[in-house]
Amino acid sequence: MAKRGADKRNIWKKEWRTPLCVIGIDQSYTRTGITVSQRGKIKFITSVDFKGLKSKTEKRKAVCDKLDFCLDKCLKQYQPQKIIVIVERIRMFTQTVVLSQNYMTTTAGLVSAIVDTAYWKGVKTYSVDTRAWKSAVLGSSKPSCEPLDGCDNPQKIASVRHIIDLGFEEQIRITGYNNRFVGYNDDAADSANISLYGFLPVEKIYLHREE
């Protein structure tokens, strides 16, 4: 029985072909990061911050409009079967908190909207567990003990630092009045690392096909 369950979880591997273009998404109704990477290299990092948007419907539309734009850019260079979207799998709990039913329901709605947007372009969507991509891309899923100016969340520090080390600090840097440094967009950083996860050897990745 256990073997049958494992086979079901890994069925995506039978159809897997390493993509040429990966769109990584760190989705939430607070702020959603979106990154396009091609052939294992980050091309551009962006995010949707929902400023002025009140309803979740408006926020889903904003994310889908941005994704649609990214997909159209990618489709000018690659066939749909060479492109994939990877989102973060919906969590039922964090290390300290059991997440609410409302959170899971509304987040599922956002993921479904993303899946549908990609589907109509002929692009498949997969999800990855937070711990899986962090362990594979960052080397560990544990919170960072090393402080980083501009990022107060220990769960996000390693992700932000990795993107800075890759040379993309400006793309995740948040500035305010008079170009004053405010902090780092950790959701954008997460999306960038998620996009890189899709280029790892198949034996090192664990994905779930979202339909």
Side-chain angles (χ1 to χ4, degrees):
M1 181 65 71
K3 184 178 186 299
R4 190 179 307 152
D7 288 345
K8 187 175 181 180
R9 288 193 300 270
N10 292 326
I11 194 169
W12 63 272
K13 290 189 176 182
K14 296 180 181 179
E15 64 177 26
W16 183 255
R17 298 291 183 274
T18 301
L20 297 180
C21 181
V22 178
I23 301 175
I25 302 178
D26 181 39
Q27 75 280 355
S28 79
Y29 284 105
T30 304
R31 183 176 59 192
T32 291
I34 303 177
T35 295
V36 173
S37 291
Q38 298 174 355
R39 299 179 183 271
K41 303 290 185 182
I42 294 171
K43 289 301 177 182
F44 69 89
I45 304 171
T46 186
S47 69
V48 184
D49 63 10
F50 307 125
K51 184 177 181 180
L53 303 182
K54 296 181 179 180
S55 74
K56 288 182 170 58
T57 299
E58 291 177 302
K59 292 177 180 180
R60 286 193 293 270
K61 183 180 184 302
V63 170
C64 291
D65 285 348
K66 181 74 76 171
L67 174 58
D68 204 48
F69 171 81
C70 293
L71 285 165
D72 285 343
K73 288 282 189 180
C74 295
L75 286 165
K76 290 179 180 179
Q77 297 178 266
Y78 304 104
Q79 295 178 326
Q81 60 269 29
K82 300 294 184 181
I83 305 168
I84 65 169
V85 173
I86 302 180
V87 299
E88 267 206 326
R89 193 164 306 149
I90 299 173
R91 294 173 292 171
M92 299 183 67
F93 55 87
T94 66
Q95 291 183 337
T96 57
V97 179
V98 176
L99 299 174
S100 70
Q101 182 66 42
N102 180 63
Y103 163 83
M104 290 185 281
T105 301
T106 55
T107 303
L110 179 55
V111 171
S112 295
I114 291 169
V115 172
D116 290 349
T117 299
Y119 172 82
W120 291 116
K121 300 286 185 177
V123 174
K124 295 176 181 178
T125 300
Y126 298 85
S127 65
V128 60
D129 181 77
T130 304
R131 292 167 298 180
W133 72 256
K134 284 187 175 182
S135 296
V137 178
L138 306 178
S140 174
S141 62
K142 296 180 180 179
S144 176
C145 297
E146 299 180 22
L148 176 65
D149 184 35
C151 183
D152 298 327
N153 187 344
Q155 298 284 352
K156 301 279 193 174
I157 289 174
S159 180
V160 170
R161 181 174 280 117
H162 186 238
I163 298 307
I164 292 173
D165 290 345
L166 290 176
F168 292 91
E169 180 178 6
E170 287 301 316
Q171 294 196 40
I172 62 170
R173 186 180 177 91
I174 302 172
T175 56
Y177 182 70
N178 284 339
N179 207 34
R180 181 177 62 86
F181 175 64
V182 175
Y184 291 111
N185 185 330
D186 50 53
D187 299 304
D190 280 356
S191 74
N193 285 307
I194 290 170
S195 73
L196 295 176
Y197 182 80
F199 297 101
L200 295 176
V202 67
E203 64 271 13
K204 292 186 178 182
I205 59 178
Y206 300 92
L207 296 170
H208 174 77
R209 174 79 185 279
E210 299 290 342
E211 298 180 285

